[in-house]
Amino acid sequence: MIVTEILARNARMYPEETSLIERNPQQGTRLELSWREFDELADRIAAILISRGVGKGDRVVQLMMNGIYWLPVYFGILRTGAVVVPLNYRFDAITIRKCVQTAQAKVMVFGSEFIERILAEKGNLDTWVRHYLFAEEKAGCPGFAENLLPIAAALKTEELALAIETPLVTDPAGLYFTSGTTGDPKGVLLTHRNLESACYIENAHHRQQHEDNFLLIPPLYHTGAKMHWFGSFIVGAKAVILKGADPQSILEAVSEEQATIVWLLVPWALDILFAVESGEIKLDRYRLAQWRLMHIGAQPVPPSLIREWRKHFPAQQYDTNYGLTESTGPGCVHLGIENTHKIGSIGKAGFDWEARILSMDGKPAARGEAGELVVRGPGVMQEYYRNPDATREVLIDGWLHTGDIAREDADGFIWLVDRKKDVIITGGENIYPVEIEDYLQSHVKIQDVAVIGIPSLRLGEIPVAIVQLKPGMEASKEEILGFCEGLPRYKRPRKIYFDTVPRNPTGKIEKPRLRKHYGGQSESFQIG
């Protein structure tokens, strides 16, 4: 059953029950949609898109912040038979344009936060985009767009008949953009079968029931948050979309909405622990007994964090998940709530998945030997969109080569060792060093530069820059950090080191050497 049919089933079985709740602590607002309202709104959005010429196989960009309308828009796009293209809300104008160009998107659905970025590239975007649809209830629809939600509300029932055939499970459904080590956007093409499999896999791992309530905090453009929600979605369980990730807002949402499952990123879990240890948060002021599962992912999890967490939440289940956009998000490897004695490991192959570790010669590695982690299962992407060379590099005989170096212990549990790909993961977001290096190379005083990630307890890693100045030039760390303010905040190096940038005989930066030298200068972890 494809995901759009699951939505229709939920609307039939639980029409007046709550499907989604949006909490906005800053504005003090709370919104709800029933399953019937969710399903009908998706139909209305689909009808509008079809009337604007969207059909099977077309690409529709979704550029929205988390909110109660994000998922109805997503399902509305899928209901047309089109391919939904959710974009990272941190993408700058140029990256948005590159993604639209690669997708050759026909329509863009967007929120108010993106108006300036769209306008900056609109002349180029108009080459592909024929309709711009503004997806917010509040006023502020720009003149170049149509206001989607009022149009949807005004549609008559007879206008909702969808003149589109139901997609096949093998049809493309989602185009999720990630960046390769070159920094150029690559589109991961997922099918309806991929999305369907995520529902069953997540539910098998975390055993969601109709009575559960999932607190959803991470961005919905990412496969991680949405595919974790899919485990609740398939049983018609409600979810709370929280706009804000501070400890008080999280605990208030868990308490007041009686959330039972929460997926956290490492920084948010740490913030809660620090707030509890400092006395800023008093746990006995919240109703938390029903919170049965905290799971975590998107970056390496410090074992010390989980040990501290379990001191404060001893009755709570814990799990961690490993996945990639190319594997339809989390689930291809997972620890399992019954395996907390293996904290630090990412676990074993997930439900309906296979996992292997291959040595450099492509043969299975011996137990304990480091090699590349490869996975095979129903979530493996169809391809890198319109990029056959990149696809052939990672899809070999049905196996997805993750680029991550791992080892398997004597009990068959997998432990990550390093990443083959030159990518920094900070707070669950991927940062590609070449983008920062290219920017810093434009500084008139810089001769060479290397950007690496060093361990950070709160964020997993932080980017730091090793800067080699031109002969005779002088610069302060403050000057270089000030220059970096031209980058998006999350891409800015946190530290600057002045040193010679080592390169091998072929001209490649010797980053393992830099990581070994500078990687020890990380943040310490002490609670209590």
Side-chain angles (χ1 to χ4, degrees):
M1 182 181 290
I2 64 174
V3 294
T4 52
E5 293 173 333
I6 295 172
L7 174 58
R9 184 198 64 184
N10 287 349
R12 290 194 304 270
M13 294 179 66
Y14 317 110
E16 303 309 319
E17 291 187 25
T18 300
S19 63
L20 300 173
I21 298 166
E22 177 197 298
R23 288 177 65 101
N24 190 329
Q26 289 188 334
Q27 297 181 3
T29 57
R30 183 183 184 277
L31 303 172
E32 280 194 28
L33 285 178
S34 68
W35 283 111
R36 176 184 54 78
E37 290 168 329
F38 183 172
D39 182 60
E40 183 178 309
L41 183 53
D43 266 355
R44 289 176 177 273
I45 289 166
I48 293 167
L49 291 169
I50 290 171
S51 71
R52 269 63 172 176
V54 173
K56 191 172 182 179
D58 289 331
R59 277 75 59 201
V60 177
V61 164
Q62 183 174 5
L63 188 54
M64 298 169 62
M65 303 295 289
N66 275 20
I68 201 160
Y69 298 115
W70 202 104
L71 286 165
V73 167
Y74 182 86
F75 277 81
I77 296 169
L78 289 177
R79 280 218 167 129
T80 68
V83 178
V84 61
V85 188
L87 295 187
N88 185 331
Y89 55 61
R90 288 177 170 171
F91 280 170
D92 59 23
I94 293 173
T95 305
I96 291 170
R97 186 253 301 160
K98 287 181 178 179
C99 293
V100 171
Q101 179 180 359
T102 300
Q104 297 184 2
K106 201 170 187 176
V107 174
M108 177 181 286
V109 186
F110 67 98
S112 59
E113 295 84 359
F114 308 99
I115 294 173
E116 289 186 9
R117 280 175 267 181
I118 292 170
L119 286 172
E121 287 287 333
K122 190 170 181 299
N124 294 318
L125 293 173
D126 287 348
T127 303
W128 305 278
V129 179
R130 295 289 177 262
H131 298 278
Y132 296 87
L133 300 175
F134 183 71
E136 288 187 16
E137 276 194 315
K138 63 184 180 183
C141 178
F144 65 83
E146 297 177 89
N147 207 339
L148 177 64
L149 296 175
I151 297 173
L155 286 179
K156 298 177 181 178
T157 304
E158 57 267 25
E159 296 178 272
L160 299 184
L162 304 181
I164 191 77
E165 60 184 285
T166 302
L168 302 174
V169 293
T170 52
D171 285 339
L175 184 57
Y176 285 80
F177 275 92
T178 182
S179 294
T181 54
T182 63
D184 293 328
K186 285 193 296 187
V188 174
L189 189 62
L190 303 178
T191 66
H192 281 275
R193 174 170 286 152
N194 291 148
L195 302 187
E196 176 193 35
S197 72
C199 298
Y200 293 103
I201 291 165
E202 170 60 19
N203 190 266
H205 288 168
H206 296 132
R207 307 164 193 173
Q208 294 92 337
Q209 302 293 319
H210 180 65
E211 296 72 27
D212 273 315
N213 186 2
F214 178 47
L215 181 60
L216 194 159
I217 312 171
L220 282 161
Y221 68 75
H222 197 281
T223 53
K226 193 158 50 276
M227 303 329 177
H228 280 308
W229 169 73
F230 272 176
S232 297
F233 167 65
I234 197 172
V235 293
K238 72 174 70 170
V240 178
I241 299 170
L242 177 62
K243 303 186 76 162
D246 61 279
Q248 183 175 333
S249 296
I250 292 172
L251 293 174
E252 284 179 351
V254 172
S255 178
E256 294 172 15
E257 305 292 349
Q258 287 292 277
T260 60
I261 303 172
V262 185
W263 182 48
L264 295 176
L265 297 180
V266 168
W268 306 335
L270 282 171
D271 288 345
I272 291 172
L273 286 179
F274 290 142
V276 171
E277 291 289 346
S278 68
E280 177 186 346
I281 292 287
K282 305 290 186 184
L283 291 178
D284 58 6
R285 296 179 181 175
Y286 302 92
R287 296 188 300 157
L288 304 176
Q290 81 292 338
W291 184 1
R292 70 172 181 84
L293 172 65
M294 186 278 275
H295 55 130
I296 201 164
Q299 66 189 88
V301 183
S304 53
L305 185 162
I306 303 306
R307 286 194 292 269
E308 291 294 328
W309 186 272
R310 298 187 77 192
K311 291 178 184 177
H312 296 285
F313 303 95
Q316 207 172 86
Q317 296 172 327
Y318 164 74
D319 195 11
T320 189
N321 303 271
Y322 168 90
L324 309 88
T325 305
E326 291 88 340
S327 67
T328 317
C332 59
V333 179
H334 96 121
L335 181 62
I337 57 180
E338 68 280 6
N339 292 320
T340 50
H341 62 289
K342 288 286 187 177
I343 286 174
S345 164
I346 59 171
K348 297 183 178 183
F351 175 78
D352 210 14
W353 280 90
E354 299 173 80
R356 292 179 180 173
I357 296 174
L358 302 182
S359 58
M360 293 298 291
D361 59 7
K363 296 179 180 179
R367 285 274 175 96
E369 178 187 353
E372 183 177 10
L373 174 63
V374 301
V375 296
R376 182 167 66 181
V380 170
M381 68 173 181
Q382 187 174 83
E383 65 179 4
Y384 284 126
Y385 192 58
R386 294 178 175 166
N387 194 338
D389 291 340
T391 302
R392 280 191 292 269
E393 288 180 7
V394 300
L395 292 184
I396 303 172
D397 297 328
W399 290 88
L400 173 63
H401 288 240
T402 69
D404 286 333
I405 305 302
R407 63 177 176 83
E408 189 177 350
D409 69 15
D411 299 317
F413 286 82
I414 298 169
W415 301 73
L416 288 181
V417 176
D418 201 352
R419 277 187 302 280
K420 189 176 178 182
K421 300 173 183 176
D422 188 12
V423 60
I424 300 166
I425 302 177
T426 181
E429 288 285 345
N430 288 358
I431 296 176
Y432 299 92
V434 70
E435 296 175 330
I436 307 173
E437 290 163 355
D438 287 347
Y439 179 84
L440 282 169
Q441 288 281 12
S442 67
H443 192 288
V444 294
K445 296 182 180 179
I446 293 177
Q447 176 173 311
D448 205 357
V449 62
V451 173
I452 60 171
I454 65 172
S456 163
L457 175 70
R458 184 172 186 275
L459 297 173
E461 289 179 300
I462 55 173
V464 301
I466 294 86
V467 172
Q468 183 175 333
L469 297 175
K470 294 177 181 177
M473 291 287 186
E474 293 183 1
S476 66
K477 294 180 180 179
E478 290 73 19
E479 178 182 349
I480 304 302
L481 289 171
F483 180 73
C484 290
E485 290 181 2
L487 289 165
R489 183 178 295 274
Y490 78 107
K491 291 185 180 179
R492 297 173 193 169
R494 303 298 181 91
K495 297 180 181 180
I496 302 294
Y497 300 106
F498 292 105
D499 202 347
T500 300
V501 175
R503 291 182 177 269
N504 66 20
T506 65
K508 294 182 180 179
I509 300 171
E510 296 180 337
K511 290 195 174 180
R513 178 175 161 188
L514 291 174
R515 292 190 188 101
K516 183 177 180 179
H517 181 72
Y518 291 101
Q521 304 182 46
S522 58
E523 301 168 4
S524 60
F525 180 37
Q526 289 186 350
I527 295 181

